[in-house]
Amino acid sequence: MHLFKKQQHKTHFLALAAVTADGRITLDSSAMPEWTSIEDWEFFQEKLLGVDAVVAGRSTYEAARMYISKRVAYVLTSTVTEPRTEGTVTFVNPDITDLRALLGKYSRVAVVGGADAYRTMFDLGLCDELYLTIEPVAFGRGRELLTETKNPVRLKLLSTKTLNRAGTIVLRYEVLH
Ligand SMILES: NC(=O)c1ccc[n+]([C@@H]2O[C@H](COP(=O)([O-])OP(=O)(O)OC[C@H]3O[C@@H](n4cnc5c(N)ncnc54)[C@H](OP(=O)(O)O)[C@@H]3O)[C@@H](O)[C@H]2O)c1
């Protein structure tokens, strides 16, 4: 008799973020970024075509509700004790619900920010790849991409791509676990 080892399905998590040259993702938590390039928006949309679901923090969801609510989306929030679904959007508290198990049915999941959501997903080990767009602008203030992670995030650069003549670049990293 042959014994077949069940193939372990593993969800691939990719984070997508746009930062200024000084590493900021936003000036104001309540607004959608208006300083990112059209080319980055197109790149972002293209990457989202290849995912089954997105994960966003509640503030990002509020800022981009018109886009996120059209997708299969998981919104991180401390305001629920168990996952609550409205249409295609599920609100989930990652301190209570096992996100890896909840998202395990998907092949590819995109983490779309903001900073609290990135930190949460990195801390939980739910980030395998990072696409970091760097726009040629510096704010000198504003929300940083990552703050207060439990551990340093170690990355391996896989590729770089220039998106436009202004010098917007995308760095593609593998997250080393
Ligand atoms: N440049 C970019 O690529 C990019 C990408 C995305 C967003 N943004 C911008 O970033 C800003 C929002 O970022 P943000 O860091 O302020 O907020 P965020 O990460 O979008 O959302 C923060 C909220 O998410 C919930 N949350 C996150 N982690 C949690 C955890 N571990 N446990 C429980 N709840 C958790 C909490 O919601 P509750 O308060 O409901 O508990 C928290 O207040 C917006 O301006 C947005 O446009 C920029």
Side-chain angles (χ1 to χ4, degrees), residues 101-122:
L102 185 70
L103 301 171
K105 60 187 169 188
Y106 300 113
S107 295
R108 289 174 69 81
V109 172
V111 181
V112 297
D116 285 344
Y118 294 132
R119 184 193 62 238
T120 299
M121 297 303 275
F122 276 109

Side-chain angles (χ1 to χ4, degrees), residues 52-158:
D52 309 305
V54 300
V55 172
R58 203 250 319 146
S59 303
T60 294
Y61 170 71
E62 300 290 348
R65 187 192 294 244
M66 63 182 285
Y67 301 106
I68 294 175
S69 61
K70 290 180 190 151
R71 298 186 171 277
V72 175
Y74 290 79
V75 175
L76 309 185
T77 178
S78 60
T79 61
V80 295
T81 51
E82 57 186 50
R84 181 169 55 81
T85 301
E86 290 174 17
T88 58
V89 178
T90 299
F91 297 85
V92 58
N93 185 337
D95 293 337
I96 297 173
T97 298
D98 180 347
L99 272 187
R100 186 185 292 278
L102 185 70
L103 301 171
K105 60 187 169 188
Y106 300 113
S107 295
R108 289 174 69 81
V109 172
V111 181
V112 297
D116 285 344
Y118 294 132
R119 184 193 62 238
T120 299
M121 297 303 275
F122 276 109
D123 280 351
L124 290 170
L126 299 180
C127 215
D128 304 305
E129 198 177 7
L130 168 65
Y131 288 90
L132 191 64
T133 299
I134 303 179
E135 294 285 3
V137 60
F139 289 162
R141 62 196 171 94
R143 198 94 166 85
E144 291 160 344
L145 172 72
L146 281 179
T147 47
E148 308 290 330
T149 51
K150 279 186 195 152
N151 297 302
V153 176
R154 293 190 308 119
L155 304 168
K156 179 182 174 188
L157 184 65
L158 297 180

